[in-house]
Amino acid sequence: EAEGSYAIQLASYMGIQSAQSRTQWLSRQGIKCQVLKQGVYYELRAVGFSSRDEAEKALAGLRKTYQDAFIKRLSSKGK
């Protein structure tokens, strides 16, 4: 498995500002995040998990704030 091959989908926002402010808040908590534009929404993801087990451990803590969060398997580059 490639490093960073798992992410946690935290939330979707209509506006980029909301997503970016949450990214800044999470960064201060030590969580690496990214915002991706998907259609009309901006997806907020916690990223950088090299295994599903690592992502599941992080998800347990993130569920306190993001009850609907779930793990995504990211495709390898070039696929």
Side-chain angles (χ1 to χ4, degrees), residues 27-40:
S27 292
R28 288 193 294 272
Q29 314 302 312
I31 299 166
K32 183 178 174 187
C33 292
Q34 70 177 185
V35 175
L36 294 169
K37 183 154 176 51
Q38 301 284 46
V40 297

Side-chain angles (χ1 to χ4, degrees), residues 7-52:
I8 301 172
Q9 173 82 31
L10 298 172
S12 293
Y13 297 93
M14 289 294 292
I16 186 80
Q17 293 84 6
S18 296
Q20 287 177 334
S21 79
R22 292 306 291 174
T23 298
Q24 292 168 359
W25 181 82
L26 287 161
S27 292
R28 288 193 294 272
Q29 314 302 312
I31 299 166
K32 183 178 174 187
C33 292
Q34 70 177 185
V35 175
L36 294 169
K37 183 154 176 51
Q38 301 284 46
V40 297
Y41 296 100
Y42 294 88
E43 288 185 358
L44 175 60
R45 296 180 180 175
V47 296
F49 305 103
S50 57
S51 70
R52 185 167 189 91

Side-chain angles (χ1 to χ4, degrees), residues 1-7 48-52 72-76:
E1 293 174 356
E3 183 178 349
S5 58
Y6 289 88
F49 305 103
S50 57
S51 70
R52 185 167 189 91
K72 278 192 160 182
R73 174 90 161 99
L74 303 177
S75 60
S76 301

